[in-house]
Amino acid sequence: MLKIYRNMKKFAAPIAGILLLLFLQVMSDLYLPTLMSDIVNNGILEGNVAYIWKTGAVMLLAAAGGVVCAVAAGYLGAKVAVGMGRMLRNQLFRHVESFSLSEFERFGSSTLITRTTNDIIQVQTVTIMIINMMVRAPLTCVGGVIQAYHQDRMLTLILAVALPVLILVIAFVTSKVIPLFRQVQQKLDGMNLILRENLTGIRVIRAFNKKDHETAKFENANRDLTDTYIRVNRIMAFLMPMMMLIMNLVTVSILWFGSKRIDTGEMNIGALMAFTQYAMQIMFSLLMFVMMFVMIPRAQAAADRINAVLGTAPEITDPDSPATAENKKGYVEFRNVTFRYRGAEQPAIRNVSFSVRPGETTAVIGGTGSGKSTLLKLISRFYEADEGEILVDGTDVKAMAQKDLRRRIGFVPQQASLFTGTVKENLLFGKEDATQAEVYHAAEVAQASKFISEMPQGYDSLLAEGGRNLSGGQKQRLSIARALVRKPEIYVFDDSFSALDFKTDAKLRAALKQDTKQATVIIVAQRVGTVMDADRIIVLDEGSVAGIGTHRELLKECGVYREIAASQLSEEELS
Ligand code: ADP
Ligand code: MG
């Protein structure tokens, strides 16, 4: 947790203010019983009305001052806590944005969300508690003992007996409760995971009739969590009556021994009343300490999870002095590139070399899992190649700034992902200043203009989260149009035609060919029909290049390609 606080220097001044205010408030709290004792002894017992009024006024002032300080401290405290939460969330979000896909996959988006929301709130809450307790508890405790001792030395012996007992009880309870709270945190995570998986996979769960199975799984996790909570609360429930018992015993013994001392004239009533109040203050301050010690481990667990994210250095960073690619445009070259996903046994891409030039269409074909998507992701440097070099426009991608690199590429991913907003906003995603005409043209080429104009508000129709209210083919076409609006040098389509019917596919590709004459086009496809007329076809097989050439050449020379083609084309088309 300290690590998190180190970056929060900005809040040093308000925190110092809070500490000062709390200090004043505790002082007023500690002063009040003494004043009361004075009123009883010198005012009421002596019948001195003027003294009662005078001291009473001082008491009121002190109490009011205490309240003002407490309110001001609370206000500042809330501001600091919320401001800190905001700063942390920003920090975390910005850091996560700099992650490459490897780091994303290592954490998983679900826990990144809990870490940014839940865990930060956890830290925020405890921080404010710590700021409050840090001054209040020890000061009240020590100050209370001093004041009590000041009122009556003999009675302080009672505290000398009671406090160690109280501390023992507290130590016992916290030692039991803290590990349980750690478990609660873990079990909460576990339950979140199940819940999230269920919510995102609800269709599959319904389709496979796995509702009962999933419900049982959730119930188990839920019961597990509940049981742990109950165990925590059982122990905590024991603490409160125990504290009350000790406090009441202390009060009774103070009154008992105190009255005896009053009898013998060694003590007066005012001192006895003040002493009782100090005893209460001291014991309550100890109780506050307990609360803090119970909360800190929970916040510590949250802080550790936040730090784990903040401490992860992004694998892909921009070079200090990024190279601006030469005046070349639309060149992509792979030189003996090998890439393995973290934790995978086999490389997904093995020793791949090829090069493409502007004005050409290059197709990548191969079975599922042969590494086609991986190959395309490497061009945009979503992952870092383990061996070999990837050159875009004649420059190593590692030497380029990521922004500069990706500006050159119009990427249409296999899973079309759209954003909440209007159709137009989505199309302008890659080029905010595109004109109306450019947007319409892109939609036209992507064969999307017809269905867009049929939507209730045309280009201003709202898309739900992730484009839920569109069909797979519509999403693909919008995602293609989005890349076209950008007018990049290099177009990369990852199986982006798979959800289109043959007719639309053919129309789209014909229009695309017209539109991308000058550009470089790299297409991943499943259908031989889609890639047949490409200038160059790269056949991938389990991550390695099985052959490169035109359709005709590959049919003659490449066994893997012939197999794929044979499974899709008729005899006459093959020959
Ligand atoms: P294709 O697009 O040709 O179907 P991919 O490039 O998606 O194939 O995947 C190639 C191989 O890499 C597969 O064996 C797949 O299991 C693995 N793979 C793909 N994505 C990841 C990932 N994010 N983490 C680990 N392994 C992956
Ligand atoms: Mg793929």
Side-chain angles (χ1 to χ4, degrees):
M1 220 145 55
L2 288 177
K3 214 164 147 194
I4 285 181
Y5 294 149
R6 216 172 293 152
N7 293 328
M8 301 289 154
K9 300 222 167 61
K10 204 179 114 190
F11 298 111
I15 287 177
I18 296 172
L19 296 188
L20 183 70
L21 286 168
L22 289 176
F23 177 80
L24 292 176
Q25 194 230 327
V26 170
M27 282 300 142
S28 115
D29 275 357
L30 286 175
Y31 189 35
L32 288 176
T34 309
L35 282 176
M36 190 193 63
S37 148
D38 283 348
I39 289 187
V40 171
N41 287 339
N42 306 335
I44 299 174
L45 293 184
E46 307 282 323
N48 184 346
V49 178
Y51 184 84
I52 295 179
W53 278 111
K54 210 182 80 196
T55 318
V58 176
M59 242 180 119
L60 267 179
L61 267 180
V67 169
V68 169
C69 287
V71 169
Y75 174 76
L76 278 180
K79 275 195 101 143
V80 168
V82 174
M84 207 177 104
R86 186 181 142 204
M87 221 166 117
L88 263 181
R89 268 193 295 275
N90 265 338
Q91 226 177 28
L92 209 62
F93 185 73
R94 223 171 296 144
H95 192 72
V96 167
E97 287 280 282
S98 73
F99 278 177
S100 78
L101 293 188
S102 298
E103 284 99 43
F104 261 113
E105 281 158 13
R106 202 164 86 212
F107 286 105
S109 58
S110 49
T111 131
L112 286 176
I113 294 176
T114 5
R115 286 173 206 227
T116 317
T117 52
N118 204 26
D119 287 345
I120 288 185
I121 289 176
Q122 202 64 257
V123 170
Q124 183 181 316
T125 317
V126 169
T127 303
I128 198 61
M129 264 180 86
I130 292 178
I131 295 176
N132 266 314
M133 304 295 173
M134 207 166 64
V135 189
R136 215 185 285 212
L139 203 63
T140 314
C141 192
V142 175
V145 170
I146 293 175
Q147 290 284 57
Y149 185 74
H150 198 67
Q151 292 291 341
D152 194 283
R153 284 172 204 197
M154 285 307 289
L155 282 188
T156 318
L157 284 177
I158 297 175
L159 291 180
V161 177
L163 289 188
V165 174
L166 200 62
I167 290 173
L168 273 182
V169 171
I170 290 173
F172 173 76
V173 169
T174 33
S175 70
K176 291 269 171 207
V177 158
I178 287 177
L180 281 181
F181 265 126
R182 287 230 172 87
Q183 283 183 27
V184 165
Q185 197 85 8
Q186 279 165 9
K187 288 180 179 163
L188 201 62
D189 269 2
M191 208 180 72
N192 275 344
L193 186 79
I194 294 175
L195 194 60
R196 218 171 296 116
E197 254 182 11
N198 263 281
L199 293 179
T200 43
I202 190 84
R203 289 179 195 81
V204 182
I205 292 168
R206 294 268 158 89
F208 284 85
N209 279 330
K210 280 289 181 190
K211 222 167 96 190
D212 293 340
H213 174 251
E214 290 298 314
T215 311
K217 211 161 90 182
F218 182 77
E219 256 170 28
N220 274 339
N222 196 0
R223 179 156 323 123
D224 204 16
L225 177 68
T226 314
D227 287 346
T228 319
Y229 256 130
I230 289 176
R231 273 166 65 200
V232 169
N233 282 325
R234 224 178 262 150
I235 299 176
M236 294 298 273
F238 163 78
L239 182 66
M240 261 331 225
M242 226 19 219
M243 296 284 296
M244 290 320 277
L245 182 68
I246 295 175
M247 280 191 201
N248 287 329
L249 280 179
V250 167
T251 318
V252 169
S253 14
I254 290 174
L255 291 179
W256 174 270
F257 290 108
S259 54
K260 288 204 159 168
R261 286 174 64 73
I262 291 176
D263 250 2
T264 57
E266 286 164 294
M267 194 182 180
N268 52 43
I269 291 186
L272 182 64
M273 289 173 74
F275 195 94
T276 325
Q277 291 208 358
Y278 285 128
M280 285 295 152
Q281 283 187 359
I282 294 165
M283 284 187 279
F284 268 113
S285 71
L286 283 177
L287 199 63
M288 288 201 284
F289 248 142
V290 180
M291 294 298 172
M292 197 163 96
F293 275 112
V294 169
M295 288 294 285
I296 285 182
R298 299 185 76 178
Q300 185 58 50
D304 287 345
R305 286 153 49 98
I306 297 170
N307 282 331
V309 179
L310 288 178
T312 303
E315 183 189 44
I316 296 177
T317 49
D318 284 341
D320 290 332
S321 48
T324 46
E326 308 146 40
N327 297 330
K328 283 172 140 183
K329 264 189 167 189
Y331 289 84
V332 176
E333 189 180 350
F334 272 52
R335 289 185 188 156
N336 303 317
V337 174
T338 297
F339 168 74
R340 196 163 56 85
Y341 283 106
R342 303 290 156 265
E345 281 178 12
Q346 298 288 326
I349 289 288
R350 224 183 299 233
N351 202 19
V352 169
S353 303
F354 67 90
S355 73
V356 304
R357 270 189 304 266
E360 287 182 348
T361 298
T362 302
V364 184
I365 199 166
T368 36
S370 56
K372 305 180 299 289
S373 297
T374 309
L375 185 84
L376 297 196
K377 285 179 199 155
L378 286 174
I379 301 175
S380 293
R381 204 178 171 213
F382 291 145
Y383 297 96
E384 196 80 298
D386 295 320
E387 284 165 41
E389 285 176 340
I390 300 166
L391 287 85
V392 169
D393 294 349
T395 310
D396 193 326
V397 289
K398 289 180 192 176
M400 265 195 247
Q402 292 169 67
K403 236 180 164 164
D404 182 34
L405 169 67
R406 291 179 191 147
R407 184 178 53 78
R408 298 161 194 263
I409 301 168
F411 183 56
V412 185
Q414 188 162 17
Q415 300 285 340
S417 67
L418 302 165
F419 295 90
T420 317
T422 64
V423 171
K424 197 166 163 198
E425 279 164 2
N426 268 285
L427 294 185
L428 290 177
F429 201 70
K431 191 177 171 215
E432 277 156 29
D433 54 353
T435 63
Q436 191 93 338
E438 282 176 315
V439 172
Y440 286 166
H441 177 71
E444 195 68 45
V445 173
Q447 309 297 312
S449 51
K450 185 149 174 282
F451 83 80
I452 294 176
S453 58
E454 278 165 9
M455 287 168 85
Q457 270 106 36
Y459 282 81
D460 294 318
S461 306
L462 274 181
L463 298 186
E465 181 190 341
R468 247 187 298 112
N469 51 349
L470 295 177
S471 78
Q474 290 171 332
K475 274 193 279 193
Q476 278 191 342
R477 276 176 280 172
L478 279 189
S479 144
I480 292 170
R482 176 172 63 191
L484 290 175
V485 168
R486 214 169 174 192
K487 290 212 171 59
E489 304 158 15
I490 303 162
Y491 288 92
V492 175
F493 298 101
D494 189 356
D495 217 353
S496 318
F497 313 105
S498 58
L500 305 182
D501 54 274
F502 282 98
K503 204 174 113 203
T504 316
D505 181 8
K507 272 193 351 227
L508 199 157
R509 272 185 299 117
L512 201 61
K513 207 164 191 174
Q514 282 301 314
D515 209 59
T516 57
K517 260 190 189 138
Q518 317 294 325
T520 311
V521 178
I522 303 176
I523 291 182
V524 161
Q526 299 285 348
R527 298 183 197 143
V528 173
T530 313
V531 304
M532 232 156 58
D533 46 2
D535 299 297
R536 181 186 303 101
I537 302 171
I538 300 171
V539 186
L540 279 184
D541 185 33
E542 292 183 8
S544 311
V545 175
I548 297 183
T550 60
H551 177 65
R552 297 200 161 279
E553 290 165 2
L554 287 171
L555 272 185
K556 256 186 251 147
E557 294 153 17
C558 179
V560 180
Y561 186 75
R562 212 175 312 125
E563 260 174 48
I564 298 172
S567 68
Q568 295 181 15
L569 303 179
S570 61
E571 283 295 322
E572 47 207 291
E573 282 174 306
L574 277 176
S575 56

